[in-house]
Amino acid sequence: MPLGLLKYGLARRYPASRHFPIRPPLKDGYDVVIIGGGGHGLAAAWHLAHDHGVTDVAVLDKGYLGGGNTARNTAIIRSNYLTPEGVAFYARSMDLWRDLSARLRINILYSQRGHLTLAHTDAAVRTMRWRAEVNKHLDVDSQLIWPDEIARLAPTMSLSRSVRYPVLAALYHPPGAIARHDAVAWGYARAAARKGVELHPQTEVTGLLTSPDGSRITGVETTRGTVRAHRVLQAVAGYSGQVAGMAGLKLPIRSIPLQACVSQPLKPFLDPIIVSGSLHIYISQSARGEFVMGGASDPYPLYSTRSTLDFKEGLFAHMLELFPALSEVPIMRQWAGITDMTPDFSPVMGPTPLEGYYIDAGWGTWGFKATPVCGETMAHTVATGRPHPLIESFALSRFARFDQVGEKGAASVGQ
Ligand code: FAD
Ligand code: PYC
């Protein structure tokens, strides 16, 4: 048992400290400024302090900490991607997830469920077989399974043949998991603050400052004043294009809403996470018993987090084919986040042409699972000035080289 939990259990008085330290005054300058206090920015701050001893760090967020896509995502964690670069990267994240509760001293409710990606066509079966082979080659546990085994793992799902797209097979990824997304942000924030990192919610970055020749970053303008820094990391998810634009960088990114919803809680009914790219739906059951559900991205770029009836109608037309029993279950909440979509469905990570300015972007609909590995690799990159080996393939320059890392079929639930 981690020592922190033991101390907590044996303490005479309630030992929990404040949720976050009180926001300090903003200093004139820091060694490192991180724009964006979502999971990625906070994880990078913690790894900078923990792995590299860089503690003069300020995390600036225009809203509250962890209130962006980290708060809005459906918390699916897996590494069953398609490209060797992608699989290796996400597999490292899985390693970090497993003991994150103990490292951060917070229960993130990490729950390994197994992940099933359904195949409804011969073409999809071929893609699943391909993914399984790439995964196995990199020691990631994935296999192609057939309807009898699918029925054993998900007995409450309909495998009827009398539908337009019957389930033919599935890619089964036993390590697939879910976690409590908010606790992940809180855990990184509190652990980083314990190491001396400053957390500054309600502090929007409105401009970037550069040297007279425009070659290197020198600071940021914020709604609370100017801050000097020679190393700045942006980790702002749906706002990646806007913030990079302040640095004169043009990203190959479109910002598109992604919606999701959650049902009233029920007793345990569905153990694995189920995804169907052909039906554009996915579902898992949270620790609280709610069905967490989502589907394809909205049809056009937009900076708005409104919910639509179209989304719900499209989602349930297909969801009820697989789970007719859900037809009477009330939906409790529906919401959206703005996702920064890249052409190849892989992230953009590393140094940029502006010296000292680093980017962690292009996380679209797939970045929650990468939170720990982004923290680790971006901290390494900022601390050393060199891209971590695991992110070299995700450099912004790959688009100019026509060297994309195509993950479309594996990263999304359809566009
Ligand atoms: P965020 O958590 O969005 O943090 C960025 C922060 O930057 C925000 O808090 C914002 O306020 C701040 N910011 C923006 N502009 C500024 C500025 N100018 N100044 C200061 N601060 C600024 N991924 C998965 O792996 N699995 C899933 O199941 C999954 N499901 C998803 C479901 C939905 C509905 C959505 C919307 C996304 C989903 N994702 C999923 C993707 C995932 O949520 C994101 O990729 C991930 O959370 C990105 O984390 P982040 O820390 O980069 O961004
Ligand atoms: O990345 O696995 C994922 C995912 C599922 C739904 C949205 N993102």
Side-chain angles (χ1 to χ4, degrees):
M1 177 189 280
L3 191 59
L5 283 181
L6 195 62
K7 269 170 47 192
Y8 189 95
L10 296 177
R12 279 165 190 259
R13 285 187 308 125
Y14 184 61
S17 50
R18 294 180 54 86
H19 203 61
F20 298 124
I22 294 174
R23 190 181 78 177
L26 197 58
K27 291 195 300 189
D28 291 345
Y30 295 87
D31 186 353
V32 177
V33 161
I34 297 178
I35 314 173
H40 288 212
L42 293 165
W46 182 69
H47 278 283
L48 272 169
H50 180 271
D51 304 355
H52 303 279
V54 179
T55 56
D56 186 23
V57 177
V59 180
L60 315 181
D61 198 288
K62 68 178 180 180
Y64 60 93
L65 298 173
N69 285 354
T70 300
R72 293 155 194 272
N73 83 92
T74 45
I76 296 176
I77 297 170
R78 60 189 174 87
S79 58
N80 57 354
Y81 277 70
L82 177 65
T83 66
E85 300 89 330
V87 175
F89 182 74
Y90 294 102
R92 172 63 187 157
S93 215
M94 298 296 275
D95 288 345
L96 295 169
W97 276 112
R98 287 191 189 97
D99 67 348
L100 202 57
S101 288
R103 293 194 94 189
L104 299 182
R105 292 200 259 144
I106 190 168
N107 187 355
I108 62 161
L109 298 180
Y110 187 78
S111 172
Q112 185 174 333
R113 299 292 186 81
H115 182 282
L116 292 175
T117 315
L118 306 180
H120 305 258
T121 61
D122 289 343
V125 174
R126 269 198 306 278
T127 307
M128 298 312 153
R129 196 189 297 281
W130 179 2
R131 274 169 73 180
E133 290 310 314
V134 176
N135 286 192
K136 281 186 233 165
H137 186 66
L138 289 161
D139 274 340
V140 167
D141 188 1
S142 284
Q143 54 201 275
L144 194 63
I145 61 170
W146 306 100
D148 52 345
E149 178 68 356
I150 300 172
R152 196 184 65 74
L153 292 166
T156 48
M157 182 168 71
S158 165
L159 292 175
S160 166
R161 305 285 303 174
S162 351
V163 287
R164 185 157 173 222
Y165 290 118
V167 175
L168 303 181
L171 179 69
Y172 176 41
H173 177 51
I178 53 174
R180 174 81 205 278
H181 46 6
D182 295 320
V184 174
W186 301 335
Y188 277 119
R190 282 152 61 160
R194 284 196 292 270
K195 296 239 169 240
V197 168
E198 286 188 11
L199 306 174
H200 291 276
Q202 279 83 46
T203 309
E204 180 169 358
V205 170
T206 52
L208 298 176
L209 305 173
T210 59
S211 55
D213 65 357
S215 66
R216 61 164 302 128
I217 189 88
T218 57
V220 298
E221 294 284 7
T222 82
T223 44
R224 291 169 60 215
T226 301
V227 179
R228 281 180 289 99
H230 287 280
R231 297 189 278 185
V232 174
L233 165 63
Q234 83 156 69
V236 295
Y239 300 91
S240 296
Q242 287 186 357
V243 175
M246 297 176 194
L249 298 171
K250 198 162 177 332
L251 303 183
I253 277 177
R254 293 185 312 147
S255 295
I256 301 180
L258 179 70
Q259 302 188 51
C261 62
V262 74
S263 76
Q264 158 185 303
L266 267 76
K267 298 286 180 233
F269 168 88
L270 178 69
D271 197 39
I273 303 153
I274 309 280
V275 179
S276 167
S278 306
L279 299 181
H280 300 316
I281 57 168
Y282 64 93
I283 180 167
S284 70
Q285 190 169 18
S286 75
R288 233 186 342 214
E290 300 155 330
F291 290 99
V292 181
M293 297 171 276
S297 302
D298 279 7
Y300 36 75
L302 192 67
Y303 285 103
S304 160
T305 51
R306 87 274 177 268
S307 300
T308 66
L309 182 60
D310 268 8
F311 162 75
K312 224 168 2 208
E313 283 179 342
L315 180 68
F316 286 104
H318 291 301
M319 192 66 83
L320 295 180
E321 265 180 34
L322 289 181
F323 294 98
L326 291 184
S327 65
E328 300 297 322
V329 178
I331 295 303
M332 302 297 277
R333 294 189 304 284
Q334 185 184 346
W335 67 91
I338 299 172
T339 62
D340 51 340
M341 303 295 287
T342 53
D344 58 359
F345 292 69
S346 282
V348 179
M349 298 178 78
T352 68
L354 182 62
E355 200 185 330
Y357 195 72
Y358 300 90
I359 192 162
D360 171 78
W363 281 110
T365 66
W366 51 86
F368 175 69
K369 68 181 75 60
T371 303
V373 71
C374 284
E376 182 180 64
T377 55
M378 286 314 303
H380 168 101
T381 304
V382 172
T384 63
R386 288 187 307 279
H388 188 284
L390 277 176
I391 66 168
E392 276 168 359
S393 320
F394 303 133
L396 176 58
S397 57
R398 75 178 183 274
F399 297 100
R401 290 184 266 112
F402 298 103
D403 193 10
Q404 304 196 6
V405 187
E407 288 286 7
K408 179 161 184 180
S412 78
V413 185
Q415 257 230 307

